Structure formats: C-alpha cells, structure tokens
C-alpha cells in the first residue's frame, strides 16, 4: 500500500508540474527587448513557447509620450502557430517604445508581459 501511495503521489506531482509549465511564455521578440535598432521595423514579431490563439491575443505599443502607436491586426504566423506578427501602420520615428502583449495559448492559459526597445 505504501508503494502505491508513493507512485500515486509522484504521478500527481508530475501532472501538476506539466500543467504549471503549459503557459505560452515569450521566448523571443523582434525587435529584441532593450534593443536599439537603426531603423523602424515593419512589424513586431513575438515567438512563444507554445501555440497561441490569435483571435484572443494582441499587442499594444506606446511611444515615449505614452501614446498608442497605430498597428495592423495581429496575426499568427502561417506555419509557426507559436508566433504573433503585428505589422506597423507607419514607420516609427526615433525614440523609445513599450510593447505590452497578451496571449491565449491553445490549451486555454492566458499570459502577458511587456518590454521596451528604441529606434535611433
């Protein structure tokens, strides 16, 4: 009975640790966090640790004056379902920008975060 209890406890712990890691975490972004790019990007590209639902995910970009930057609709990359691409409506002038993102992973978990980058 004690051996069964130990096996059951280990199985339960493994199940919960898999659930805890089942969130879409930001793995990389372009422009990169804290980057100082030479020219305005045409789009922001965020790559996550798992597939996301684009209809329930999005990005907001604020300039140094805390004004929203006009963006096109966020879309999931066609063959890379863990990537969110957001084209800019117009080139960014020089300055610092804050990117705030939120995503819903395909398994229903929500995550969010933010980072900054600058354009020379």
């Amino acid at each position: 009975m004690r051996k069964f209890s130990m096996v059951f406890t280990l199985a339960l712990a493994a199940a919960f640790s898999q659930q805890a890691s089942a969130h879409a975490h930001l793995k990389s972004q372009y422009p990169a966090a804290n980057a100082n790019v030479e020219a305005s990007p045409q789009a922001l590209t965020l790559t996550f640790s798992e597939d996301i639902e684009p209809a329930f995910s999005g990005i907001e970009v604020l300039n140094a004056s805390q004004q929203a930057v006009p963006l096109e609709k966020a879309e999931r990359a066609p063959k890379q379902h863990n990537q969110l691409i957001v084209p800019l409506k117009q080139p960014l002038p020089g300055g610092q920008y804050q990117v705030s993102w939120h995503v819903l992973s395909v398994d229903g978990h929500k995550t969010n975060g933010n980072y900054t980058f600058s354009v020379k």
Side-chain angles (χ1 to χ4, degrees), residues 9-62:
T9 301
L10 289 173
L12 194 59
F16 281 115
S17 64
Q18 285 178 350
Q19 285 181 338
S21 66
H23 293 67
H25 297 285
L26 184 62
K27 285 178 35 178
S28 65
Q29 64 274 28
Y30 177 79
N34 302 315
N36 193 5
V37 297
E38 293 289 328
S40 174
Q42 293 181 345
L44 301 178
T45 303
L46 282 69
T47 304
F48 296 91
S49 57
E50 63 183 66
D51 291 354
I52 58 169
E53 292 288 351
F56 301 102
S57 303
I59 297 174
E60 179 183 49
V61 179
L62 300 177

